[in-house]
Amino acid sequence: MAAPAERIPATAVDRVRLEKIFNAHHATVWRVLSRRGLSPEAVEDATQETYLLAAERLDDIRPESERAFLVATALRIAHSLGRKTVRWELDDDMDQRLSGNRDASDTRADMQLCNLVLSKVDPDLVEVFVLYELEGLTAPEISELLQIPLGSAASRLRRAREQFRSAAARVEKSMKKEGES
């Protein structure tokens, strides 16, 4: 067995598999970490750390479970950064002061708007909501990933949807008021 500081050279097969995993799931890992409220630099670092761990544990990753492994690893890394319950630093009335210059076709503005609404939802619920609604994981996958009972995952998803709808309605209302001004 190699000492922890030693690196065992990867085989060509390992490199190809890791490259395929990276290409297939990099965007997902990036989004999951970004939606945790990390700074862009922290997202870069956590993404890199996620793939370094994946490279070290490549033999432990079951085929067809790569995404779940990467998301779980990324979430643990975010948690270890002390970001478990990160909330954006927004004023309570921030949704009442949205810019009237917003271009609906601007993807960046859409993401900021989505993040604004998500910031109004309980962080434990956001995690389940993002994994299900935005990343496409199933409730059983989320249950396993977060190590919570399936019923808890379903309950959190239901409550997150309710909170998301409520926050989205407030934002929509404020945008309509601004549009009328």
Side-chain angles (χ1 to χ4, degrees):
M1 183 162 165
E6 280 183 45
R7 293 261 181 209
I8 299 171
T11 67
V13 172
D14 289 345
R15 275 189 230 125
V16 168
R17 181 172 181 223
L18 188 59
E19 186 175 335
K20 284 181 181 178
I21 291 171
F22 179 85
N23 290 335
H25 304 293
H26 178 265
T28 300
V29 169
W30 185 270
R31 282 191 310 269
V32 165
L33 290 166
S34 295
R35 290 191 174 115
R36 296 292 298 158
L38 300 174
S39 70
E41 295 81 19
V43 171
E44 288 175 12
D45 292 344
T47 300
Q48 183 177 22
E49 190 172 339
T50 298
Y51 281 97
L52 286 172
L53 286 169
E56 289 174 4
R57 301 204 39 221
L58 198 56
D59 291 339
D60 298 333
I61 304 173
R62 292 186 321 248
E64 306 303 317
S65 295
E66 292 94 349
R67 180 176 67 163
F69 175 88
L70 293 169
V71 170
T73 301
L75 289 172
R76 279 193 298 279
I77 289 168
H79 291 265
S80 72
L81 291 173
R83 306 291 186 171
K84 183 175 181 184
T85 58
V86 164
R87 298 283 289 194
W88 286 264
E89 295 288 327
L90 300 174
D91 298 330
D92 287 337
D93 66 342
M94 183 69 106
D95 56 339
Q96 303 299 320
R97 300 184 282 122
L98 290 174
S99 169
N101 300 336
R102 184 179 174 281
D103 180 358
S105 66
D106 183 358
T107 303
R108 189 170 185 87
D110 290 344
M111 285 184 59
Q112 289 173 342
L113 185 60
C114 182
N115 287 341
L116 171 64
V117 174
L118 287 172
S119 75
K120 301 294 185 181
V121 178
D122 180 288
D124 289 331
L125 304 180
V126 165
E127 193 164 57
V128 173
F129 182 86
V130 167
L131 291 173
Y132 186 86
E133 297 291 348
L134 303 178
E135 298 304 332
L137 272 68
T138 65
E141 287 174 322
I142 294 168
S143 172
E144 181 181 335
L145 184 70
L146 299 179
Q147 298 178 345
I148 58 174
L150 182 58
S152 295
S155 173
R156 288 181 190 183
L157 179 59
R158 179 189 51 76
R159 292 187 349 240
R161 285 174 171 162
E162 290 169 0
Q163 286 185 22
F164 186 88
R165 276 193 283 274
S166 175
R170 286 196 328 267
V171 169
E172 182 179 25
K173 183 178 175 183
S174 77
M175 290 177 73
K176 284 182 181 177
K177 282 184 182 177
E178 261 189 40
E180 294 170 0
S181 303

